[in-house]
Amino acid sequence: MSKKKNLSEYNISDVPDASDMKIAIVFAEWNQEITLALADGAKTTLLNHGLNEKNLFINSVPGSYELPMGAQYIFENNRDIDAVICIGCVIQGETRHFEFISDAVANGIMNVAIKYNKPVIFGVLTTDNFSQAKERSGGKHGNKGDEAAITAIKMIELKKIS
Ligand code: DLZ
């Protein structure tokens, strides 16, 4: 296993060219200060790896709970999309909402991926507090949106070559 804990510090030559790919980002409007930074990181990384901006589709959903449905709508309406990157931020509160939302999103995303046999990337932060989320959306722990973008490109390529 790689010793790197932070995929934001990746080797550019390890990532395939994305110029012939079509990718969608769907982000949650909850905790928008964080999710916009993550979505922006994902977008920049995709474009840096050759994705044509006309092949990048960006939509939002109200909250992270709606991300799996958002991904499903995107695949239903755009059959040639290669992958969907789901971006969200669920922050621990005083009630059990956190667990319900986090579990439902993780399972829902996997179900959509399997249903369409296409990568649906879990770009969802699940943190104890806002400052942990800030640190992971362009702070000292990098930007997990970058990592989600790289994961999407790598999985699309894997499907092609495997
Ligand atoms: C209701 C709720 C709560 C309490 N917390 C979050 C959160 O931290 N992050 C997030 O993305 N969404 C949250 N939501 C909204 C739910 O995801 C969902 O939009 C609503 O429950 C409506 O289905």
Side-chain angles (χ1 to χ4, degrees), residues 30-148:
W30 260 76
N31 298 317
Q32 198 164 111
E33 182 181 338
I34 303 295
T35 59
L36 284 178
L38 295 169
D40 202 48
K43 176 180 173 179
T44 303
T45 301
L46 293 171
L47 299 181
N48 284 345
H49 287 285
L51 187 79
N52 191 323
E53 201 156 358
K54 76 173 176 20
N55 292 327
L56 174 62
F57 304 84
I58 303 181
N59 290 99
S60 66
V61 291
S64 293
Y65 189 80
E66 284 74 38
L67 286 168
M69 217 53 219
Q72 168 144 329
Y73 294 154
I74 289 167
F75 283 137
E76 280 298 317
N77 298 333
N78 309 273
R79 296 248 162 213
D80 56 350
I81 291 275
D82 296 305
V84 176
I85 299 170
C86 292
I87 300 277
C89 173
V90 190
I91 300 178
Q92 180 79 269
E94 290 175 359
T95 68
R96 294 190 60 211
H97 237 95
F98 178 83
E99 283 97 62
F100 289 127
I101 295 175
S102 306
D103 288 352
V105 180
N107 291 329
I109 284 177
M110 181 54 78
N111 288 340
V112 178
I114 288 167
K115 176 172 172 184
Y116 290 92
N117 194 29
K118 289 181 178 180
V120 183
I121 309 304
F122 186 74
V124 180
L125 298 180
T126 56
T127 63
D128 291 337
N129 53 50
F130 189 76
S131 83
Q132 285 180 348
K134 284 288 277 183
E135 286 164 359
R136 288 159 180 80
S137 56
K140 72 175 179 195
H141 292 297
N143 186 325
K144 302 297 167 188
D146 300 349
E147 301 180 18

Side-chain angles (χ1 to χ4, degrees), residues 4-11 140 147:
K4 281 186 205 151
K5 290 198 182 110
N6 187 344
L7 262 177
S8 296
E9 298 155 20
Y10 62 95
N11 186 347
K140 72 175 179 195
E147 301 180 18

